[in-house]
Amino acid sequence: MTETQLISSEAPAAEHAARSDATGLVAGLKRNAPRIITVLLFLAGAWALYHLLEPLDLRTVLHQVLNTPPHLVAGALLATVASYASLICYDWSALRYLGKTAPASSVALGGFLGYALGNTIGLSLVSGGAVRYRIYSALGMNAYEVAAISTFAATAFGVGSTLIGLVALAAMPDALADLLPWSETTIRSGALTATAVILAIGAVVAGRRGTLKIGHFRLTAPGRGDMVRQLLITFADIVTAALALYILLPNGALPFVEVLAIFSIATIIGVASHVPGGIGVFESIFIAAMPAAVPVEDVVTALLLYRLIYFLLPFMLALVLLSVMEIWSAAGARVPQVKALAPVVKAGRSMIPAATGTLVLAAGLFMMFAGLFPVFDRRFEELETLLPLAMVAGGPLISSVVGALMSVLSIPLMHRSRMAYWIVQIALLFGIVLAVVQTHDAGRVATLAAVAAILWPCRREFYRTARLSRGVLSPRWSFLVGSILASLGAAVVLVETGFVPQNTVWWALAGGSPTDTAARVALAVCVVLAAILIFTGLRVARATTVAPDEEALQRAAAIIGQFGDGSDMIKVTGDKTLMFGPAGQSVLAYGVKGGSWIAMGAPVGAAEDVEDLSWEFRDAARAAGARPVFYEVPANYAPQAIDMGLSLHKMGEEALIPLAQFSLDGPDRKRLRTTHNRAQRDGLTFELVTLDRAPELIEDLRRLSDAWLSEQSAREKSFSVGRFDPAWLNRTRIAVVRLNGAICAFANIMESDRSAAIDLMRYGSPAPTGAMEFLFIELLLAMKAEGKAEFSLGMVPFAGLPGRKGATLWARFGNLIYAHGHRFYSFEGLRRFKSKFDPEWHPRYFCCRSTLPPVGPLSEAARLIAGSARGVIGK
C-alpha cells in the first residue's frame, strides 16, 4: 500500500471504527436489556417505596413485629405450608401432563428446594427453568422435557393468577380504585370481559389440542382435565399465599376478596419485573392500593412479617435440609431413603453458593442503605433481633462501610470462591465471640452458630481458587495485600479520629463545612478503593497456559510414543500446558482461553491412569472457575466424556490410512501412479531429514514458509496445528521435496511407535502441479517401509455431519457450512484431495457440557488456535 493509499483509507477506517463502536454499544445494550430493565424496575420500586414509607415510624413497626400475637404467626405459617404444598403440585401436575414419572419424595423435595431458594434469590442461576433443569436432569430427563415442565408451570401460574385476580377484581372493583382512573362499573366490566376471553381461549386450545414445535421442543396443549386440575392447584396456591398476608393485616382492614385481588395483581407485576422476589415492586403496589384509613405502619408490619414467614423461613429451612442431607449422604450413604434422594440433593446443593451470596448481599445492602430511614440515628436493639447478621449497633457510618464490603464479598461467594467462604466463616466466628464477650446475647450467638453450622457441610461447593490465594509473597501479591490493608487502615483512621461525623454514611459526600466534605470524600475514596481491591483479590483466578520445560516435553513424548498415535504428538509442540496422570502413565495437553480449559485431543496413556487424569482435569478446570472442554477427541473417548457429564458434538472426520493396504499397484491406484511418475519426470525428489543432522536447512525452510504465508495471506496458527518453530521442528522428522536440488515443499511428521501423522505443510510457487501429492505418496511408502500401521492425513472439519431433518441443530449447521462455505474454505475440496489415498474416515468430537450448540466454547477454541479474534476472521 502506498502512502497516498494509506492516507486515503484513514477516513473510511475511522468511520468504520466509529460505526463498529456504535454497533457494539447497541449490541451490548440489547444483550443486557433484561438485566438493565430489571435493575431500573427495582430502583423504581425502591424509590416509590421510599416515598411511601417517608412518614413511617420504623420503631413502631419493629415494636409491632416483635409483639405480633403468636396465633396470627401460627396461622400465617399454616397458610404458607399449604401454599408451598400447592407449589410442589405444579411440578406433579406438569409431570402427569407430560406422561412422565418420578419418585414422589424426589418431586416433593426438589419442588420445595426449587421454590424455596428460587423465590427468595430470584436469580437466573437458580430460578425457574434452571432450578428444574438441575433437579430433573439429575432424575434422567433431557433439556426439552425440563423446558416443557417449566413452560407448563409458568403458563399455569400466569394464566391462573390472572384469572383469580380478575375474578376477585370483578367481585370487588373498588380494590384498585385509587390506582386506576376508571369507575367501578368500568373496572368490573373490563375484568369480566377479560375473564371470559381467557376462558374462551383456554376452551378452544384445550379442544383443538394443538402442538407447538420449535426444533426438538414439542409442547401439546393440555386437555380440559389438565386445565381444570391445574387451575385448582393455582387457585390453592394464590389463595393460601394471599391468606398468609391477610392474617397478618390489621383486623378488618380489608375484605379477603379485595386483598386477594390486590395480592394477585401485585404478584403478577412483581414476577413480570424479574426483580428478585418482586421486592419493592410488590410492596409499592400493595401499600399504594391500601385505603388511607389503614395506618401505613400496620401494612408495613404485615408485609415485613409476610416476607420473613413466606420467603426467609422456607429459604433457611431449605439450607438446613441441604446441610443435613449432605451430612447423611457422607456419613450414612447406605440409608435407602437418603440414597434415593441423592440426585435431588446434589442438584440442590449446587445452589448453596448463590443462596449464601444472596444472604450476604441482602445483609450488606441493608447495612449500607439503612441510613435512608429517618430514625436510623436511634437505638436498634429490636432491629438487631430481627437481623442478627447485620451488625448495625456501630452506627450508620460503620454500618454503611461494613455493608459495602459485605456486598462486594457476596459476588465471589456466588462464584464459589473458597477464600470468600472462609472469610464468611471467620466473620461468623468473630461475631459469635463479640456476642459472647460484649453483648452476652444468647440469641445472636445461637443464630450465628446455626448459620456457620449450616454452611460447614457444604464447604466443598466453594472450591474455586481466588486470585489472592495465588502467588503468595510475590511482588504482585504483596502489592495487592498492602493496598487493601492501606485503604482499610485509612478508612479506620478517618472513622476513629472523628474526622467524619458518626451519624452519616460514607457515600454521603455533601453537607457541612468544606473540611467535613473533604473528610467524607477521603473516606469514600478509601472505601471504594478497598472494595475494588477486595473484589479483585477474591475473584476466581483464571489460569493461563504455562509453557512446559524440555524435561516435561520429553516425558510426554515418551508416553505418547508408547501408548498413542502419531497425531497425539501435537500435544508436545510446546504451546500447551501439560498435565500428567496420578500414576505418571498418561498425559494431557491443554490451553486456556476465556472461560474454558481446552484439552487438545483425549488424554494418552495407560487406560486406568487416563480415566483418573480425565477427572483430575475436569475438577481442576471447575476449581478454577472454568469449563472443561475436549477438542477433537476420537470416538473411543466418548464413554469417558459421557461419564463426566459432557456432551459430544461431531466436529468432522479424520482420514486414516491403513499402511499395510497402501501401495501404487493395481487399477485403483492408476491415478496415483500417474501423478507419482510425472513428478519424478519433472525432477522432483523426496527425502526424510532431521534438522539436528542438517541444521543448514532451517533457513531454507523458513524462507519457503514465509513466502507461503505471504502468498496465502495467512498467519501462523497454534494449539491444534504446528507452527514454524525451530524448537518444535527439531523434535520431528521433515519430509522434503526438491525440484532440481532446491526445496520446493516440505512437511514435518509426528510419529509414535505404531503410527504417524502429517502436521505443518508448506510449498513454494516454483513447485509444479502434483508436488504435494508426490510428497504424500513418498511419505506413505516410507512409513509403510518402516513398519508403521497407520498414517493420519488430518481432519476435514464438518465432514460427515448429517443435514437431514431430525438431526441436531449443530449437525445441520455444520452440514450447511461444509456444503456452502467454499467462499471461506473449501472443505469439500479438502476431502476430495484426501480421498485420493483411499483413507478410512473416523469421527472426531468436541466435548463440553452443553446440550445446545457449543458456540461459546467453540469460539474460545477458535481464538486459541488463531491467537486472537482477528485471527479467526482472517486466514
Side-chain angles (χ1 to χ4, degrees), residues 42-43 46 50 58 361-376 380 383 390 392 395-404 407 504-508:
F42 172 75
L43 294 176
Y50 170 67
L58 184 58
L361 177 62
L365 290 176
F366 173 80
M367 294 171 65
M368 186 174 171
F369 293 107
L372 292 174
F373 290 101
V375 296
F376 191 84
F380 274 82
L383 188 57
V392 297
L397 181 58
I398 295 177
S399 180
S400 63
V401 171
V402 175
S407 301
T504 185
V505 288
W506 66 266
W507 37 270

Side-chain angles (χ1 to χ4, degrees), residues 411-423 459-472 477 480 534-544 597 618-626:
I411 300 175
L413 274 174
M414 293 180 184
H415 292 168
R416 304 173 183 268
S417 169
R418 184 187 298 114
M419 179 171 283
Y421 167 82
W422 286 112
I423 289 175
R459 61 190 179 278
R460 287 179 296 179
E461 292 299 318
F462 300 88
Y463 51 77
R464 292 176 176 170
T465 304
R467 293 183 177 183
L468 200 58
S469 61
R470 289 193 171 185
V472 178
W477 182 89
L480 178 60
I534 290 173
F535 176 74
T536 301
L538 293 181
R539 282 184 64 189
V540 174
R542 295 289 189 187
T544 56
W597 281 21
R618 172 190 176 275
D619 294 341
R622 292 190 63 200

Side-chain angles (χ1 to χ4, degrees), residues 44-410:
W47 181 256
L49 190 61
Y50 170 67
H51 282 284
L52 289 170
L53 299 181
E54 194 168 4
L56 178 69
D57 186 350
L58 184 58
R59 179 175 290 275
T60 301
V61 171
L62 298 176
H63 178 76
Q64 290 179 351
V65 168
L66 295 173
N67 291 279
T68 301
H71 69 278
L72 296 181
V73 175
L77 283 171
L78 288 175
T80 298
V81 171
S83 179
Y84 272 83
S86 302
L87 287 172
I88 293 172
C89 288
Y90 277 86
D91 288 19
W92 167 79
S93 179
L95 288 170
R96 183 173 176 178
Y97 150 72
L98 292 174
K100 300 293 179 181
T101 58
S105 57
S106 296
V107 174
L109 180 60
F112 174 73
L113 292 176
Y115 287 110
L117 296 175
N119 283 350
T120 303
I121 298 172
L123 300 175
S124 60
L125 177 67
V126 292
S127 64
V131 175
R132 289 188 178 89
Y133 178 76
R134 292 185 177 195
I135 292 172
Y136 290 117
S137 62
L139 296 175
M141 298 184 192
N142 60 41
Y144 300 106
E145 292 168 342
V146 178
I149 293 173
S150 299
T151 304
F152 179 89
T155 304
F157 174 80
V159 174
S161 56
T162 301
L163 276 175
I164 293 168
L166 289 172
V167 172
L169 194 59
M172 303 291 292
D174 57 335
L176 297 179
D178 294 336
L179 298 180
L180 300 176
W182 306 306
S183 65
E184 293 184 11
T185 303
T186 303
I187 293 175
R188 176 179 282 116
S189 301
L192 290 174
T193 302
T195 301
V197 169
I198 294 174
L199 290 176
I201 293 174
V204 172
V205 170
R208 292 186 176 181
R209 297 299 303 274
T211 300
L212 175 65
K213 297 180 182 179
I214 304 176
H216 284 269
F217 180 77
R218 297 167 60 91
L219 187 63
T220 302
R224 292 186 178 88
D226 293 325
M227 281 191 176
V228 171
R229 181 184 66 246
Q230 187 55 52
L231 281 176
L232 292 175
I233 293 172
T234 306
F235 177 78
D237 167 33
I238 298 296
V239 169
T240 51
L243 181 62
L245 179 56
Y246 174 75
I247 292 173
L248 299 171
L249 287 170
N251 188 25
L254 278 179
F256 177 68
V257 176
E258 284 195 40
V259 173
L260 182 61
I262 298 172
F263 180 91
S264 300
I265 294 172
T267 299
I268 294 170
I269 297 175
V271 171
S273 70
H274 293 286
V275 174
I279 190 167
V281 179
F282 176 87
E283 283 81 3
S284 297
I285 296 172
F286 202 91
I287 293 173
M290 294 299 289
V294 181
V296 68
E297 289 86 355
D298 294 345
V299 181
V300 173
T301 299
L303 289 170
L304 180 57
L305 274 173
Y306 173 73
R307 286 285 181 185
L308 293 174
I309 293 173
Y310 194 86
F311 290 91
L312 186 59
L313 190 60
F315 179 81
M316 296 304 298
L317 180 59
L319 292 182
V320 172
L321 278 174
L322 288 173
S323 184
V324 171
M325 295 297 292
E326 175 67 12
I327 295 173
W328 282 357
S329 61
R334 293 185 298 273
V335 179
Q337 293 82 358
V338 176
K339 192 173 182 180
L341 294 173
V344 180
V345 174
K346 182 179 179 181
R349 190 171 62 237
S350 64
M351 295 183 277
I352 285 287
T356 306
T358 301
L359 278 178
V360 175
L361 177 62
L365 290 176
F366 173 80
M367 294 171 65
M368 186 174 171
F369 293 107
L372 292 174
F373 290 101
V375 296
F376 191 84
D377 57 341
R378 303 179 184 177
R379 294 175 58 84
F380 274 82
E381 292 86 354
E382 297 91 343
L383 188 57
E384 290 183 37
T385 304
L386 290 175
L387 297 169
L389 294 181
M391 298 176 292
V392 297
L397 181 58
I398 295 177
S399 180
S400 63
V401 171
V402 175
L405 299 181
M406 287 178 66
S407 301
V408 169
L409 180 64
S410 67

Side-chain angles (χ1 to χ4, degrees), residues 105 164 204 259 289 423 470 510 526 547 576 580 646 652 656 665 696 705 718 743 836:
S105 57
I164 293 168
V204 172
V259 173
I423 289 175
R470 289 193 171 185
C526 291
K576 293 173 277 292
F580 293 92
L646 306 180
L656 283 176
D665 300 330
E696 70 281 355
S705 175
S718 60
I743 298 176
K836 295 178 181 180

Side-chain angles (χ1 to χ4, degrees), residues 425-450:
Q425 289 287 43
I426 292 171
L428 290 171
L429 179 61
F430 182 70
I432 292 172
V433 172
L434 285 181
V436 171
V437 175
Q438 292 187 357
T439 63
H440 307 289
D441 187 345
R444 179 184 289 275
V445 171
T447 302
L448 295 178

Side-chain angles (χ1 to χ4, degrees), residues 657-679:
I657 299 176
L659 292 176
Q661 305 171 14
F662 181 81
S663 73
L664 295 181
D665 300 330
D668 294 339
R669 301 299 170 88
K670 179 180 179 181
R671 184 174 180 180
L672 288 181
R673 286 198 306 273
T674 301
T675 300
H676 185 258
N677 294 334
R678 184 173 62 247

Side-chain angles (χ1 to χ4, degrees), residues 28 36 43 74 110 131 156 165 223 252 346-347 423 460 465 545 582 589 619 640 675 687 726 737 749 751 804 827:
I36 296 172
L43 294 176
V131 175
K346 182 179 179 181
I423 289 175
R460 287 179 296 179
T465 304
T545 302
D619 294 341
Q640 176 65 52
T675 300
E687 62 180 322
V737 174
I749 314 304
E751 301 175 70
R804 66 185 63 186
F827 299 108

